[in-house]
């Protein structure tokens, strides 16, 4: 199973995550009242709920790094990809509550609340505890290594930054390229694992699916990420039974 070292070295992950969070901070600071009320492609979430969800995800590690981590084998990154869908209802509820309680104010208050989450993360990433990639971190799915947990934050910040750009009618978000590369690689690894164990394809077909996805990712990693996360339709040459991986 891939871990953070197979996707990017831990210092690169930390730098990419800090850059991605700061780019999101700038985007949220620029939102006006009308933009906060815009719909998103995430059900009935408005940009306000999306910003609230992003703030939770950005601040999660520094707020919970000292929580007790459960015993047991560490959760790998592809296992996290497979498991995170099961938390969709809880994540939706948390985002709505955060939007109503913390992100309900005017744009200046929203920006300040988002700044606070980003400051928590960037201060943590610059400190010594973030460098302990093997530190156990507790999730509802089981323990995960801190280095891998930070990769999951790359997934959240890349995928939802793209959601934000889409909601605002912008063609692109100023992603950190290292963050996009790490997310693309993780989703390819998760697809390869799912294809290898799927009943709908044999070994040759599974390898062909992964090869086609790799070509899409090489040509346009964000296009691949959108397919893998259910934002864009699955291309005809990629069996829909294997995709999306997240959504």
């Amino acid at each position: 199973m891939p871990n953070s070292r197979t996707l990017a070295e831990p210092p690169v992950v930390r730098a990419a995550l800090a850059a991605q969070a700061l780019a999101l901070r700038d985007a949220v600071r620029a939102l006006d009242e009308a933009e906060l009320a815009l719909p998103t492609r995430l059900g009935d979430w408005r940009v306000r709920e999306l910003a609230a969800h992003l703030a939770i995800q950005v601040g999660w590690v520094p707020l919970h790094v000292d929580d007790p981590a459960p015993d047991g084998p560490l959760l790998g990154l592809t296992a996290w990809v497979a498991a995170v869908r099961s938390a969709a209802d809880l994540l939706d509820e948390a985002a709505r509550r955060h939007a109503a309680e913390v992100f309900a104010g005017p744009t200046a208050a929203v920006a300040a609340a988002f700044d606070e989450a980003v400051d928590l993360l960037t201060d943590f990433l610059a400190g010594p505890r973030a460098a302990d990639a093997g530190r156990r971190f507790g999730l509802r799915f089981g323990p995960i290594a801190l280095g891998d947990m930070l990769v999951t934050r790359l997934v959240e910040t890349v995928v939802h930054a793209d959601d934000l750009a889409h909601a605002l009618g912008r063609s692109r978000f100023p992603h950190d390229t290292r963050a996009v590369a790490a997310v693309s690689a993780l989703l390819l690894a998760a697809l390869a694992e799912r294809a290898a164990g799927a009943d709908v394809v044999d070994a040759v077909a599974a390898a062909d699916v992964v090869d086609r996805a790799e070509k899409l990712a090489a040509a346009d990693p964000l296009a691949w990420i959108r397919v893998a996360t259910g934002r864009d339709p699955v291309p005809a040459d990629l069996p829909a039974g294997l995709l999306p991986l997240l959504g």
Side-chain angles (χ1 to χ4, degrees):
M1 268 182 207
N3 55 39
S4 55
R5 290 188 177 275
T6 66
L7 297 168
E9 288 297 314
V12 175
V13 171
R14 295 195 298 273
L17 181 55
Q20 193 73 10
L22 291 171
L24 280 165
R25 180 198 65 185
D26 292 343
V28 172
R29 283 179 174 177
L31 294 172
D32 61 30
E33 292 289 347
E35 288 171 331
L36 281 170
L38 287 172
T40 72
R41 58 189 175 189
L42 303 172
D44 61 356
W45 278 12
R46 301 164 298 164
V47 168
R48 191 178 294 273
E49 281 77 25
L50 175 55
H53 174 72
L54 269 166
I56 294 172
Q57 301 310 310
V58 165
W60 189 262
V61 170
L63 287 174
H64 294 277
V65 68
D66 291 323
D67 291 356
D71 295 329
L74 289 172
L75 187 74
L77 278 169
T78 54
W80 176 83
V81 171
V84 73
R85 270 187 170 186
S86 67
D89 289 344
L90 291 174
L91 294 172
D92 176 69
E93 180 184 352
R96 293 177 189 278
R97 184 170 60 251
H98 206 52
E101 295 175 357
V102 181
F103 276 66
T107 55
V110 168
F114 200 85
D115 281 359
E116 183 178 351
V118 172
D119 288 345
L120 280 172
L121 178 62
T122 53
D123 288 350
F124 172 76
L125 292 173
R129 288 187 300 169
D132 184 5
R135 181 188 181 107
R136 293 170 73 89
F137 188 94
L139 288 177
R140 61 174 53 90
F141 317 119
I144 189 171
L146 178 59
D148 286 349
M149 183 62 190
L150 294 179
V151 175
T152 73
R153 301 307 87 185
L154 288 180
V155 176
E156 294 287 349
T157 55
V158 167
V159 172
H160 289 312
D162 194 59
D163 291 332
L164 178 60
H166 181 270
L168 298 175
R170 297 172 187 169
S171 60
R172 63 183 299 275
F173 181 88
H175 295 283
D176 182 272
T177 56
R178 299 163 298 183
V180 172
V183 174
S184 176
L186 171 55
L187 294 173
L188 284 171
L191 174 64
E193 189 168 291
R194 178 179 286 190
D199 294 332
V200 295
V201 288
D202 59 25
V204 174
D208 184 57
V209 169
V210 175
D211 180 64
R212 291 174 186 271
E214 287 175 344
K215 289 177 180 176
L216 173 60
D220 189 339
L222 280 171
W224 156 240
I225 289 169
R226 291 176 191 131
V227 169
T229 60
R231 271 67 180 171
D232 280 354
V234 178
D237 59 350
L238 295 176
L242 298 177
L243 291 165
L245 300 165
L246 295 172

